[in-house]
Amino acid sequence: MVNRQKALLMTLIALLIYPNDIFGGAFPPEFADTIQNVTVSLGRDATFTCLVNHLGGYRVGWLKVDTKAIQAIHDHVITHNNRVSVSHRDHTTWNLHIKNVQEQDEGRYMCQINTDPMKSQTGMLSVVVPPDFIPEETSSDVMVREGGQVKLMCRARGVPPPSISWRREDGKNIIIRKPFAGNALNQKSHVTSVNEYHGEELRLMKISRNEMGVYLCIAINGVPPAVSKRISINVHFSPVIHVPNQLVGAPLDTDVVLECFVEASPKSINYWVKDNAMIISSQQHDVQTIEKSRFEVRMVLTIRNLQKDNVGTYKCVAKNSLGDVESSIRLYEISGPTKAQTAARPSVYDEEDETVYGSAEIEKIENKLLFVDNMINGYVEYPSVATSMPTVRIGKKRQTIGANSNADHRRRGSDLLIVLMLIIGHQKCQ
């Protein structure tokens, strides 16, 4: 009796779960939900899921609609594509898997139940492709003479079709020149400056040396990753030299710096010349070339411990394949304080607090000394105002007096002592 009750209970449970298998389709199969469309990037995996209720003894099949190629029936794969597989959970969830999706996999896929009439539903597989440049339709590096015209092309493929934009790698703006309506190319143009230019074709007219550099073609369609291509524009022109100071004066025994700025493309050969001889780095000369930009350099010539034979005309020379140019700098000697003048006058130097007296102040100091000296000799005399007086530096820390000056002061002291003794003796006699 107990076994009979158990058997009845199991039958009821089976009836509820698999009614079609037991009673031959009392409840016909139906789809529990629609198939979701799938969008996947090229090379990724895609899965379609078909939900079925009351499948019973019926079977689920998969079909690619556009080619009518059967992919699988129930749990058996029919297609020869080894990237396709199927799986299921119970009798309700049926999956079609496509690995490493390719562009040819795109299209509609049908999930069908072999009822009479057949029941089916479809889902769309969309394959998106990140952008990629078409090499034969994309420009490479170009060279143009200054003032010429450049046309850059950039085309890319992808799904959806990518958009193209241009930027400069150095972050500077792109200069767009367009002739006014009815004007020839060599006449005035409408000029705009943009940070980014959109379009497959970029035209640069009347190009200048400042527009030389790397331009980036960027392709993007919302599918990562975006791609970019570097296109270098080289603008060629003959050398040009700019000299800030063409006349330079300096005292002897000092260091002198001469400089020239050179612009050239392609890069020029740069050197210094004096008296038809090239100057190279040595103990007295230091030759340097400092790069300032892609087409500009600074030529620097340092002459150490200037001597008379260093005075003269120096030339900075620049040469490239398009031409050569030179510019002159005249170096001359200017007067400066000599060692003899420095030793002949008392001088005190303080780096922190320095007072400089000129010839007028020196005359006041000297007048005091001469007035005392002349009074002792019995008359007053002032020095001539035409006498040239060197500059004396007076500070707080230390006094430096030349040897000749010390002897003069000792001699004047002896003379003063003798005169004072004579005056005292004369008064006693009276």
Side-chain angles (χ1 to χ4, degrees):
M1 185 68 179
V2 174
N3 292 336
R4 187 182 303 171
Q5 291 177 347
K6 288 182 178 180
L8 181 59
L9 180 61
M10 294 297 293
T11 302
L12 290 174
I13 293 173
L15 179 63
L16 292 174
I17 297 176
Y18 304 112
N20 291 348
D21 289 347
I22 296 174
F23 295 101
F27 296 94
E30 59 184 5
F31 294 108
D33 200 356
T34 58
I35 296 178
Q36 299 298 316
N37 295 330
V38 177
T39 300
V40 64
S41 296
L42 183 70
R44 299 298 182 89
D45 298 342
T47 299
F48 286 105
T49 299
C50 188
L51 299 177
V52 181
N53 287 335
H54 314 309
L55 181 61
Y58 293 100
R59 297 290 182 264
V60 173
W62 292 95
L63 180 75
K64 194 168 188 298
V65 177
D66 57 348
T67 61
K68 297 182 173 55
I70 299 175
Q71 305 296 301
I73 297 177
H74 219 55
D75 53 2
H76 300 291
V77 176
I78 304 301
T79 181
H80 296 293
N81 187 348
N82 56 10
R83 296 182 291 107
V84 174
S85 63
V86 292
S87 67
H88 66 90
R89 187 175 65 249
D90 299 330
H91 280 68
T92 58
T93 304
W94 299 84
N95 301 311
L96 175 68
H97 306 281
I98 306 174
K99 294 183 179 180
N100 188 22
V101 170
Q102 302 299 308
E103 291 186 64
Q104 62 266 25
D105 297 326
E106 186 174 66
R108 287 199 166 272
Y109 288 80
M110 176 184 292
C111 171
Q112 61 183 21
I113 305 172
N114 61 339
T115 56
D116 188 18
M118 181 190 67
K119 295 182 177 181
S120 65
Q121 59 178 355
T122 62
M124 180 68 185
L125 174 62
S126 300
V127 181
V128 293
V129 182
D132 186 27
F133 292 110
I134 305 174
E136 59 272 16
E137 299 182 29
T138 300
S139 300
S140 55
D141 295 348
V142 297
M143 185 277 290
V144 62
R145 289 291 294 267
E146 189 170 33
Q149 177 177 307
V150 173
K151 183 177 76 171
L152 300 181
M153 293 295 302
C154 190
R155 288 196 172 95
R157 61 171 68 93
V159 180
S163 60
I164 303 296
S165 62
W166 297 86
R167 286 177 175 268
R168 287 187 62 166
E169 190 176 57
D170 56 12
K172 296 180 181 178
N173 283 355
I174 299 174
I175 308 300
I176 305 298
R177 299 178 180 88
K178 293 183 179 180
F180 289 109
N183 283 7
L185 293 178
N186 59 351
Q187 294 181 348
K188 291 184 178 181
S189 303
H190 177 69
V191 180
T192 57
S193 177
V194 296
N195 184 255
E196 185 176 26
Y197 181 81
H198 297 276
E200 293 182 340
E201 181 180 297
L202 175 63
R203 283 181 178 268
L204 302 176
M205 300 172 58
K206 299 180 182 178
I207 194 166
S208 71
R209 65 193 66 181
N210 293 318
E211 296 172 77
M212 185 189 317
V214 175
Y215 288 72
L216 299 176
C217 168
I218 303 168
I220 184 171
N221 66 348
V223 182
V227 294
S228 64
K229 179 177 174 59
R230 301 173 76 253
I231 302 176
S232 179
I233 298 180
N234 296 293
V235 180
H236 286 188
F237 56 93
S238 56
V240 177
I241 294 181
H242 168 64
V243 180
N245 298 302
Q246 291 185 313
L247 194 61
V248 178
L252 297 179
D253 302 322
T254 60
D255 292 350
V256 184
V257 177
L258 309 180
E259 64 177 358
C260 295
F261 291 89
V262 179
E263 295 181 4
S265 178
K267 291 183 177 180
S268 57
I269 300 173
N270 310 306
Y271 57 92
W272 292 89
V273 172
K274 182 179 183 292
D275 299 331
N276 296 322
M278 182 186 296
I279 300 174
I280 60 175
S281 292
S282 62
Q283 187 173 359
Q284 189 176 31
H285 297 102
D286 180 27
V287 179
Q288 294 185 25
T289 301
I290 303 167
E291 187 169 335
K292 295 180 63 65
S293 70
R294 183 166 180 163
F295 58 85
E296 184 180 14
V297 298
R298 176 174 173 245
M299 298 175 60
V300 181
L301 172 63
T302 303
I303 305 169
R304 303 186 183 95
N305 192 23
L306 180 68
Q307 301 299 312
K308 285 188 177 294
D309 58 353
N310 299 131
V311 174
T313 300
Y314 290 79
K315 293 181 180 180
C316 47
V317 183
K319 295 182 178 182
N320 71 1
S321 58
L322 301 180
D324 59 83
V325 66
E326 64 181 34
S327 189
S328 300
I329 301 176
R330 180 170 169 263
L331 176 60
Y332 65 96
E333 175 192 350
I334 61 175
S335 60
T338 63
K339 297 178 181 178
Q341 289 173 322
T342 305
R345 293 293 178 184
S347 62
V348 176
Y349 179 65
D350 185 350
E351 292 179 350
E352 298 178 356
D353 184 13
E354 180 185 83
T355 304
V356 178
Y357 291 92
S359 58
E361 287 78 6
I362 295 302
E363 289 176 4
K364 294 178 183 178
I365 297 172
E366 291 297 328
N367 286 344
K368 295 178 182 179
L369 298 176
L370 294 175
F371 178 78
V372 174
D373 192 14
N374 293 337
M375 280 296 295
I376 293 172
N377 290 280
Y379 64 95
V380 178
E381 181 178 335
Y382 293 94
S384 171
V385 295
T387 305
S388 62
M389 309 301 291
T391 298
V392 178
R393 299 178 182 271
I394 300 178
K396 298 189 298 183
K397 289 186 177 179
R398 178 171 53 89
Q399 186 174 18
T400 304
I401 302 176
N404 294 335
S405 181
N406 287 333
D408 291 342
H409 280 274
R410 286 196 296 269
R411 184 173 65 254
R412 290 179 180 179
S414 299
D415 293 342
L416 179 59
L417 181 59
I418 294 172
V419 171
L420 288 175
M421 290 176 65
L422 291 174
I423 294 172
I424 293 171
H426 180 70
Q427 289 179 349
K428 286 183 179 181
C429 291
Q430 291 179 348

Short mmCIF file of all heavy atoms in Angstrom, two decimals, residues 140-189:
data_model
loop_
_atom_site.label_atom_id
_atom_site.label_comp_id
_atom_site.label_asym_id
_atom_site.label_seq_id
_atom_site.Cartn_x
_atom_site.Cartn_y
_atom_site.Cartn_z
N SER A 140 52.09 59.08 -46.22
CA SER A 140 53.27 58.85 -45.39
C SER A 140 54.01 60.19 -45.24
O SER A 140 53.49 61.24 -45.62
CB SER A 140 54.17 57.80 -46.03
OG SER A 140 54.50 58.16 -47.36
N ASP A 141 55.20 60.16 -44.67
CA ASP A 141 55.97 61.39 -44.44
C ASP A 141 56.20 62.13 -45.76
O ASP A 141 56.42 61.51 -46.81
CB ASP A 141 57.31 61.07 -43.78
CG ASP A 141 57.14 60.48 -42.39
OD1 ASP A 141 56.01 60.54 -41.86
OD2 ASP A 141 58.12 59.97 -41.83
N VAL A 142 56.16 63.47 -45.69
CA VAL A 142 56.32 64.27 -46.90
C VAL A 142 57.36 65.35 -46.68
O VAL A 142 57.66 65.75 -45.54
CB VAL A 142 54.98 64.93 -47.32
CG1 VAL A 142 53.97 63.87 -47.68
CG2 VAL A 142 54.45 65.83 -46.22
N MET A 143 57.95 65.83 -47.78
CA MET A 143 58.91 66.93 -47.78
C MET A 143 58.43 67.97 -48.79
O MET A 143 58.00 67.63 -49.89
CB MET A 143 60.31 66.44 -48.13
CG MET A 143 61.40 67.52 -48.04
SD MET A 143 61.52 68.56 -49.53
CE MET A 143 62.20 67.39 -50.70
N VAL A 144 58.48 69.26 -48.40
CA VAL A 144 57.98 70.32 -49.27
C VAL A 144 58.85 71.56 -49.08
O VAL A 144 59.37 71.80 -47.98
CB VAL A 144 56.50 70.62 -48.95
CG1 VAL A 144 56.33 71.11 -47.51
CG2 VAL A 144 55.92 71.63 -49.92
N ARG A 145 59.03 72.33 -50.15
CA ARG A 145 59.74 73.60 -50.04
C ARG A 145 58.83 74.63 -49.37
O ARG A 145 57.61 74.61 -49.53
CB ARG A 145 60.16 74.10 -51.42
CG ARG A 145 61.28 73.31 -52.05
CD ARG A 145 62.61 73.49 -51.35
NE ARG A 145 63.11 74.85 -51.47
CZ ARG A 145 63.95 75.25 -52.41
NH1 ARG A 145 64.38 74.40 -53.33
NH2 ARG A 145 64.38 76.50 -52.43
N GLU A 146 59.43 75.52 -48.64
CA GLU A 146 58.66 76.55 -47.94
C GLU A 146 57.86 77.38 -48.96
O GLU A 146 58.38 77.76 -50.01
CB GLU A 146 59.59 77.45 -47.13
CG GLU A 146 58.85 78.41 -46.22
CD GLU A 146 59.79 79.10 -45.25
OE1 GLU A 146 60.96 79.37 -45.63
OE2 GLU A 146 59.37 79.38 -44.13
N GLY A 147 56.59 77.62 -48.62
CA GLY A 147 55.69 78.33 -49.52
C GLY A 147 54.90 77.42 -50.43
O GLY A 147 54.01 77.88 -51.15
N GLY A 148 55.19 76.12 -50.40
CA GLY A 148 54.48 75.17 -51.25
C GLY A 148 53.18 74.68 -50.61
O GLY A 148 52.68 75.24 -49.62
N GLN A 149 52.64 73.61 -51.18
CA GLN A 149 51.34 73.07 -50.75
C GLN A 149 51.48 71.60 -50.41
O GLN A 149 52.20 70.85 -51.07
CB GLN A 149 50.30 73.26 -51.85
CG GLN A 149 48.93 72.69 -51.53
CD GLN A 149 47.92 72.97 -52.62
OE1 GLN A 149 47.72 74.10 -53.03
NE2 GLN A 149 47.28 71.92 -53.12
N VAL A 150 50.77 71.16 -49.37
CA VAL A 150 50.79 69.76 -48.93
C VAL A 150 49.36 69.26 -48.85
O VAL A 150 48.47 69.96 -48.33
CB VAL A 150 51.47 69.62 -47.54
CG1 VAL A 150 51.33 68.19 -47.02
CG2 VAL A 150 52.94 69.99 -47.63
N LYS A 151 49.12 68.05 -49.37
CA LYS A 151 47.83 67.39 -49.22
C LYS A 151 48.03 66.06 -48.53
O LYS A 151 48.71 65.17 -49.04
CB LYS A 151 47.15 67.18 -50.58
CG LYS A 151 45.76 66.56 -50.47
CD LYS A 151 45.07 66.42 -51.82
CE LYS A 151 45.65 65.26 -52.61
NZ LYS A 151 44.86 64.97 -53.83
N LEU A 152 47.46 65.94 -47.33
CA LEU A 152 47.56 64.70 -46.56
C LEU A 152 46.24 63.96 -46.63
O LEU A 152 45.17 64.55 -46.44
CB LEU A 152 47.91 65.02 -45.10
CG LEU A 152 49.22 65.76 -44.83
CD1 LEU A 152 49.43 65.97 -43.35
CD2 LEU A 152 50.41 65.02 -45.44
N MET A 153 46.31 62.64 -46.88
CA MET A 153 45.13 61.79 -46.93
C MET A 153 45.19 60.77 -45.80
O MET A 153 46.26 60.27 -45.46
CB MET A 153 45.04 61.06 -48.27
CG MET A 153 44.79 61.96 -49.45
SD MET A 153 43.18 62.78 -49.37
CE MET A 153 42.08 61.38 -49.30
N CYS A 154 44.03 60.45 -45.24
CA CYS A 154 43.97 59.46 -44.17
C CYS A 154 42.61 58.76 -44.25
O CYS A 154 41.57 59.40 -44.04
CB CYS A 154 44.14 60.15 -42.81
SG CYS A 154 44.37 59.00 -41.44
N ARG A 155 42.65 57.46 -44.56
CA ARG A 155 41.41 56.69 -44.65
C ARG A 155 41.54 55.45 -43.77
O ARG A 155 42.60 54.84 -43.68
CB ARG A 155 41.11 56.29 -46.09
CG ARG A 155 40.66 57.46 -46.96
CD ARG A 155 40.00 57.00 -48.24
NE ARG A 155 39.40 58.11 -48.97
CZ ARG A 155 40.00 58.78 -49.94
NH1 ARG A 155 41.21 58.42 -50.31
NH2 ARG A 155 39.39 59.78 -50.54
N ALA A 156 40.39 55.09 -43.14
CA ALA A 156 40.39 53.95 -42.22
C ALA A 156 39.12 53.13 -42.43
O ALA A 156 38.08 53.65 -42.84
CB ALA A 156 40.49 54.42 -40.78
N ARG A 157 39.23 51.85 -42.13
CA ARG A 157 38.08 50.94 -42.18
C ARG A 157 37.67 50.58 -40.75
O ARG A 157 38.45 50.70 -39.81
CB ARG A 157 38.43 49.68 -42.96
CG ARG A 157 39.57 48.90 -42.35
CD ARG A 157 39.75 47.55 -43.02
NE ARG A 157 40.23 47.70 -44.39
CZ ARG A 157 41.51 47.68 -44.75
NH1 ARG A 157 42.47 47.55 -43.81
NH2 ARG A 157 41.87 47.81 -46.00
N GLY A 158 36.44 50.11 -40.62
CA GLY A 158 35.93 49.70 -39.31
C GLY A 158 34.42 49.64 -39.34
O GLY A 158 33.77 50.12 -40.27
N VAL A 159 33.83 49.02 -38.31
CA VAL A 159 32.38 48.92 -38.20
C VAL A 159 31.98 49.39 -36.80
O VAL A 159 32.41 48.80 -35.81
CB VAL A 159 31.89 47.48 -38.41
CG1 VAL A 159 30.36 47.40 -38.29
CG2 VAL A 159 32.36 46.93 -39.75
N PRO A 160 31.20 50.47 -36.72
CA PRO A 160 30.72 51.33 -37.81
C PRO A 160 31.86 52.13 -38.44
O PRO A 160 32.96 52.17 -37.87
CB PRO A 160 29.72 52.25 -37.09
CG PRO A 160 30.17 52.27 -35.67
CD PRO A 160 30.74 50.92 -35.39
N PRO A 161 31.62 52.76 -39.59
CA PRO A 161 32.70 53.51 -40.25
C PRO A 161 33.29 54.57 -39.33
O PRO A 161 32.56 55.33 -38.69
CB PRO A 161 31.99 54.15 -41.46
CG PRO A 161 30.81 53.26 -41.72
CD PRO A 161 30.37 52.79 -40.37
N PRO A 162 34.61 54.64 -39.22
CA PRO A 162 35.25 55.59 -38.30
C PRO A 162 35.25 57.01 -38.85
O PRO A 162 35.17 57.24 -40.05
CB PRO A 162 36.68 55.06 -38.16
CG PRO A 162 36.92 54.30 -39.42
CD PRO A 162 35.60 53.75 -39.86
N SER A 163 35.33 57.97 -37.93
CA SER A 163 35.51 59.38 -38.29
C SER A 163 37.00 59.71 -38.17
O SER A 163 37.72 59.15 -37.34
CB SER A 163 34.68 60.29 -37.38
OG SER A 163 35.07 60.13 -36.03
N ILE A 164 37.45 60.68 -38.97
CA ILE A 164 38.86 61.04 -39.04
C ILE A 164 39.04 62.48 -38.56
O ILE A 164 38.29 63.37 -38.92
CB ILE A 164 39.40 60.92 -40.48
CG1 ILE A 164 39.19 59.50 -41.02
CG2 ILE A 164 40.88 61.30 -40.54
CD1 ILE A 164 39.94 58.43 -40.27
N SER A 165 40.06 62.69 -37.72
CA SER A 165 40.42 64.04 -37.28
C SER A 165 41.94 64.18 -37.29
O SER A 165 42.68 63.18 -37.26
CB SER A 165 39.86 64.34 -35.89
OG SER A 165 40.39 63.44 -34.93
N TRP A 166 42.40 65.44 -37.32
CA TRP A 166 43.84 65.74 -37.38
C TRP A 166 44.23 66.63 -36.21
O TRP A 166 43.51 67.55 -35.84
CB TRP A 166 44.18 66.47 -38.68
CG TRP A 166 43.92 65.68 -39.93
CD1 TRP A 166 42.74 65.59 -40.61
CD2 TRP A 166 44.84 64.86 -40.65
NE1 TRP A 166 42.86 64.79 -41.70
CE2 TRP A 166 44.16 64.32 -41.75
CE3 TRP A 166 46.19 64.54 -40.46
CZ2 TRP A 166 44.76 63.48 -42.66
CZ3 TRP A 166 46.80 63.70 -41.37
CH2 TRP A 166 46.10 63.18 -42.47
N ARG A 167 45.41 66.37 -35.64
CA ARG A 167 46.01 67.21 -34.61
C ARG A 167 47.52 67.28 -34.83
O ARG A 167 48.09 66.39 -35.47
CB ARG A 167 45.75 66.65 -33.20
CG ARG A 167 44.33 66.83 -32.70
CD ARG A 167 44.17 66.19 -31.33
NE ARG A 167 42.87 66.42 -30.75
CZ ARG A 167 42.56 67.42 -29.95
NH1 ARG A 167 43.52 68.29 -29.62
NH2 ARG A 167 41.34 67.57 -29.45
N ARG A 168 48.13 68.33 -34.26
CA ARG A 168 49.59 68.39 -34.27
C ARG A 168 50.13 67.75 -33.01
O ARG A 168 49.58 67.94 -31.92
CB ARG A 168 50.07 69.85 -34.36
CG ARG A 168 49.88 70.46 -35.73
CD ARG A 168 50.51 71.82 -35.85
NE ARG A 168 51.95 71.79 -35.66
CZ ARG A 168 52.77 72.80 -35.97
NH1 ARG A 168 52.26 73.91 -36.46
NH2 ARG A 168 54.06 72.70 -35.78
N GLU A 169 51.20 66.98 -33.16
CA GLU A 169 51.76 66.26 -32.03
C GLU A 169 52.29 67.20 -30.95
O GLU A 169 52.23 66.89 -29.76
CB GLU A 169 52.87 65.32 -32.50
CG GLU A 169 53.35 64.35 -31.45
CD GLU A 169 54.37 63.37 -31.99
OE1 GLU A 169 55.41 63.83 -32.51
OE2 GLU A 169 54.15 62.15 -31.90
N ASP A 170 52.79 68.38 -31.37
CA ASP A 170 53.34 69.32 -30.40
C ASP A 170 52.27 70.18 -29.74
O ASP A 170 52.57 71.04 -28.92
CB ASP A 170 54.40 70.21 -31.06
CG ASP A 170 53.87 70.96 -32.28
OD1 ASP A 170 52.64 70.96 -32.49
OD2 ASP A 170 54.69 71.52 -33.04
N GLY A 171 50.99 69.97 -30.09
CA GLY A 171 49.91 70.70 -29.46
C GLY A 171 49.61 72.06 -30.08
O GLY A 171 48.64 72.72 -29.69
N LYS A 172 50.41 72.50 -31.06
CA LYS A 172 50.15 73.78 -31.71
C LYS A 172 48.94 73.67 -32.64
O LYS A 172 48.54 72.57 -33.04
CB LYS A 172 51.38 74.23 -32.49
CG LYS A 172 52.60 74.51 -31.62
CD LYS A 172 53.79 74.95 -32.47
CE LYS A 172 55.02 75.21 -31.62
NZ LYS A 172 56.18 75.60 -32.46
N ASN A 173 48.40 74.83 -33.00
CA ASN A 173 47.24 74.85 -33.89
C ASN A 173 47.62 74.54 -35.33
O ASN A 173 48.77 74.75 -35.75
CB ASN A 173 46.54 76.21 -33.82
CG ASN A 173 45.70 76.37 -32.57
OD1 ASN A 173 45.57 75.43 -31.78
ND2 ASN A 173 45.15 77.54 -32.38
N ILE A 174 46.65 74.06 -36.07
CA ILE A 174 46.80 73.81 -37.50
C ILE A 174 46.30 75.04 -38.25
O ILE A 174 45.22 75.55 -37.98
CB ILE A 174 46.02 72.56 -37.93
CG1 ILE A 174 46.55 71.32 -37.19
CG2 ILE A 174 46.11 72.35 -39.43
CD1 ILE A 174 45.74 70.06 -37.46
N ILE A 175 47.12 75.54 -39.19
CA ILE A 175 46.78 76.73 -39.96
C ILE A 175 46.11 76.31 -41.27
O ILE A 175 46.73 75.62 -42.09
CB ILE A 175 48.02 77.60 -40.24
CG1 ILE A 175 48.78 77.88 -38.93
CG2 ILE A 175 47.62 78.89 -40.93
CD1 ILE A 175 47.96 78.62 -37.90
N ILE A 176 44.86 76.72 -41.44
CA ILE A 176 44.11 76.39 -42.66
C ILE A 176 43.96 77.67 -43.48
O ILE A 176 43.41 78.67 -43.00
CB ILE A 176 42.72 75.82 -42.32
CG1 ILE A 176 42.85 74.60 -41.38
CG2 ILE A 176 41.97 75.46 -43.58
CD1 ILE A 176 43.61 73.44 -42.00
N ARG A 177 44.47 77.63 -44.71
CA ARG A 177 44.36 78.78 -45.63
C ARG A 177 43.49 78.37 -46.81
O ARG A 177 43.75 77.37 -47.47
CB ARG A 177 45.75 79.20 -46.11
CG ARG A 177 46.69 79.66 -45.01
CD ARG A 177 48.06 80.00 -45.58
NE ARG A 177 48.99 80.44 -44.55
CZ ARG A 177 49.76 79.63 -43.83
NH1 ARG A 177 49.71 78.31 -44.06
NH2 ARG A 177 50.57 80.11 -42.93
N LYS A 178 42.47 79.18 -47.05
CA LYS A 178 41.58 78.94 -48.19
C LYS A 178 41.46 80.22 -49.00
O LYS A 178 41.16 81.28 -48.43
CB LYS A 178 40.20 78.49 -47.71
CG LYS A 178 40.22 77.12 -47.04
CD LYS A 178 38.81 76.69 -46.65
CE LYS A 178 38.83 75.30 -46.02
NZ LYS A 178 37.46 74.85 -45.64
N PRO A 179 41.69 80.16 -50.32
CA PRO A 179 41.57 81.36 -51.15
C PRO A 179 40.15 81.92 -51.13
O PRO A 179 39.17 81.17 -51.04
CB PRO A 179 41.96 80.87 -52.55
CG PRO A 179 42.65 79.57 -52.34
CD PRO A 179 42.08 78.98 -51.10
N PHE A 180 40.07 83.24 -51.17
CA PHE A 180 38.75 83.85 -51.31
C PHE A 180 38.16 83.47 -52.66
O PHE A 180 38.88 83.16 -53.62
CB PHE A 180 38.85 85.36 -51.18
CG PHE A 180 39.15 85.82 -49.78
CD1 PHE A 180 40.40 86.36 -49.47
CD2 PHE A 180 38.20 85.70 -48.78
CE1 PHE A 180 40.68 86.77 -48.19
CE2 PHE A 180 38.48 86.11 -47.50
CZ PHE A 180 39.71 86.66 -47.19
N ALA A 181 36.86 83.48 -52.75
CA ALA A 181 36.19 83.09 -53.99
C ALA A 181 36.66 83.95 -55.17
O ALA A 181 36.68 85.17 -55.09
CB ALA A 181 34.67 83.24 -53.83
N GLY A 182 37.09 83.27 -56.23
CA GLY A 182 37.53 83.97 -57.44
C GLY A 182 38.97 84.40 -57.41
O GLY A 182 39.47 84.97 -58.38
N ASN A 183 39.69 84.13 -56.33
CA ASN A 183 41.10 84.54 -56.23
C ASN A 183 42.00 83.39 -56.63
O ASN A 183 41.70 82.22 -56.42
CB ASN A 183 41.44 84.97 -54.81
CG ASN A 183 40.91 86.36 -54.50
OD1 ASN A 183 40.19 86.93 -55.32
ND2 ASN A 183 41.27 86.89 -53.36
N ALA A 184 43.15 83.75 -57.19
CA ALA A 184 44.16 82.75 -57.53
C ALA A 184 44.85 82.29 -56.25
O ALA A 184 44.78 82.93 -55.20
CB ALA A 184 45.17 83.33 -58.52
N LEU A 185 45.58 81.17 -56.36
CA LEU A 185 46.24 80.60 -55.19
C LEU A 185 47.30 81.51 -54.61
O LEU A 185 47.59 81.46 -53.42
CB LEU A 185 46.86 79.24 -55.55
CG LEU A 185 45.87 78.13 -55.89
CD1 LEU A 185 46.64 76.87 -56.26
CD2 LEU A 185 44.93 77.86 -54.72
N ASN A 186 47.91 82.35 -55.45
CA ASN A 186 48.99 83.21 -54.97
C ASN A 186 48.49 84.53 -54.39
O ASN A 186 49.29 85.39 -54.04
CB ASN A 186 50.00 83.47 -56.09
CG ASN A 186 49.36 84.13 -57.29
OD1 ASN A 186 48.15 84.25 -57.35
ND2 ASN A 186 50.19 84.56 -58.23
N GLN A 187 47.17 84.71 -54.35
CA GLN A 187 46.63 85.93 -53.79
C GLN A 187 46.20 85.69 -52.33
O GLN A 187 46.43 84.62 -51.77
CB GLN A 187 45.45 86.43 -54.63
CG GLN A 187 45.88 86.88 -56.03
CD GLN A 187 44.71 87.38 -56.84
OE1 GLN A 187 43.56 87.20 -56.45
NE2 GLN A 187 45.01 88.01 -57.96
N LYS A 188 45.57 86.70 -51.74
CA LYS A 188 45.22 86.62 -50.33
C LYS A 188 44.26 85.47 -50.06
O LYS A 188 43.41 85.14 -50.88
CB LYS A 188 44.60 87.93 -49.87
CG LYS A 188 45.59 89.10 -49.84
CD LYS A 188 44.94 90.36 -49.30
CE LYS A 188 45.94 91.50 -49.23
NZ LYS A 188 45.32 92.74 -48.68
N SER A 189 44.42 84.88 -48.87
CA SER A 189 43.60 83.74 -48.49
C SER A 189 42.92 84.01 -47.15
O SER A 189 43.36 84.85 -46.37
CB SER A 189 44.45 82.47 -48.38
OG SER A 189 45.12 82.21 -49.58
#
